[in-house]
Amino acid sequence: MGNPQEFIYTAILEGDETAVSEQVEKAIQLGIPAGVILNETLIPAMAEVGELFEKGEYFVPEMLVAARAMKAGLFILKPLLVESKNDTHGKIAIGTVKGDLHDIGKNLVAIMLEGAGFEVVDLGVDVPAERFIQVVEEEHVDIIAMSALLTTTMVNIEKTMQMIQEKGIRDQVKIMVGGAPLTKEYAIGIGADGFASDASQAAKTAIFLMSKK
Ligand code: B1M
């Protein structure tokens, strides 16, 4: 018999949502920490899905079912990853920018931010600049967190920042950005206040930005 982590890995590659749920439950029962299941199994399995897509062995439908399977696992892990919400650090609106439908990384960042004590307003995917502006104006969020997974949608982070500047509300909000194609240099270049390469780093970055408000 293999261990549940091997089963989870294979089940994500096969897009088998039910098997992922069952094996994640089993791994938890065996005492494997949620962070280990996430970082050593779910995330590497998705990385392999990306590699198979690049090699032309997987196509969009396979990526889609793998993503659904990963989400099923994340759903079970979420309560274990979000530990305490008692100490509210501030309010953050998070979204994947316009034109971009990738939400697993963004969801993971939202989970970690909640776990770090932030009130999180999740705007979803394909979020236009106007919607980010609306939450700054109407919900007075402290931080806007923008995610982009495609080189073609990174530009919409810059466009959103430009529109926030033009609206005259840039000094009301801190802006942090992230997503696989982004770099710290890019974030500095476009004038973002913060960048994080992964979800736990994102929570640290947000706490740091609140200390600068
Ligand atoms: Co797409 N896709 N996809 N895809 N997809 C990638 C991103 C790609 C790298 C695959 C590849 O070629 N290897 C490639 C992008 C190439 C590029 O631009 N450089 C790609 C492509 C090309 C496409 C399409 C264009 C394919 C097509 O239609 N021909 C299309 C675009 C659709 C669109 O968005 N308009 C497309 C579609 C899809 C699906 C819908 C099928 C599905 C997404 C389903 C979903 O999210 N609900 C999908 C998937 C699953 C992937 C891969 C395989 C996995 C992404 C993922 O969830 N990773 C991906 C390949 C890969 O990443 N290796 C790929 C796991 C996740 C935990 O990691 O999202 O990186 P990640 O998030 C990390 C960090 O980046 C960071 O923290 C997270 C946690 O550690 N982070 C932040 C993310 N946001 C942050 C924000 C922050 C801070 C940190 O602060 C605000």
Side-chain angles (χ1 to χ4, degrees):
M1 276 284 271
N3 72 49
Q5 281 178 277
E6 284 167 13
F7 283 128
I8 297 166
Y9 192 96
T10 310
I12 288 182
L13 286 179
E14 291 172 353
D16 187 342
E17 232 176 291
T18 313
V20 172
S21 301
E22 283 169 6
Q23 294 299 326
V24 168
E25 295 278 13
K26 200 165 177 182
I28 293 167
Q29 278 162 18
L30 287 173
I32 303 172
V36 171
I37 302 171
L38 175 69
N39 292 316
E40 293 182 9
T41 311
L42 266 61
I43 290 181
M46 278 314 281
E48 181 161 357
V49 170
E51 281 163 26
L52 290 168
F53 177 75
E54 262 176 55
K55 284 190 212 155
E57 291 176 35
Y58 269 22
F59 299 93
V60 172
E62 284 87 358
M63 278 208 288
L64 201 54
V65 287
R68 281 199 201 123
M70 167 142 183
K71 280 185 176 186
L74 259 188
F75 179 77
I76 296 167
L77 292 180
K78 183 177 172 180
L80 301 170
L81 294 169
V82 179
E83 276 164 5
S84 132
K85 283 199 239 172
N86 300 335
D87 181 19
T88 305
H89 283 297
K91 194 170 178 180
I92 300 189
I94 188 166
T96 305
V97 293
K98 192 167 170 55
D100 200 322
L101 302 176
H102 296 86
D103 68 353
I104 295 175
K106 182 266 297 168
N107 293 346
L108 209 45
V109 171
I111 289 172
M112 293 302 175
L113 290 172
E114 271 184 42
F118 284 93
E119 182 186 347
V120 177
V121 181
D122 191 341
L123 303 175
V125 296
D126 192 20
V127 181
E130 293 79 4
R131 180 73 183 109
F132 283 111
I133 288 168
Q134 191 184 20
V135 281
V136 178
E137 289 181 335
E138 293 175 10
E139 296 198 36
H140 309 291
V141 295
D142 300 294
I143 300 175
I144 277 184
M146 285 188 270
S147 175
L149 260 287
L150 299 170
T151 42
T152 48
T153 56
M154 280 166 67
V155 65
N156 291 329
I157 292 183
E158 291 165 62
K159 282 188 184 158
T160 304
M161 291 195 48
Q162 212 176 327
M163 281 179 71
I164 289 173
Q165 190 80 45
E166 283 163 14
K167 275 267 173 186
I169 54 171
R170 179 65 180 92
D171 58 347
Q172 292 176 26
V173 70
K174 297 282 182 199
I175 299 179
M176 59 184 275
V177 299
L182 275 63
T183 60
K184 190 175 182 182
E185 290 68 35
Y186 169 81
I188 293 169
I190 62 169
D193 301 304
F195 164 78
S197 57
D198 62 38
S200 49
Q201 196 57 47
K204 288 183 193 140
T205 303
I207 292 169
F208 173 74
L209 292 181
M210 286 308 291
S211 74
K212 299 282 164 197
K213 274 204 86 153

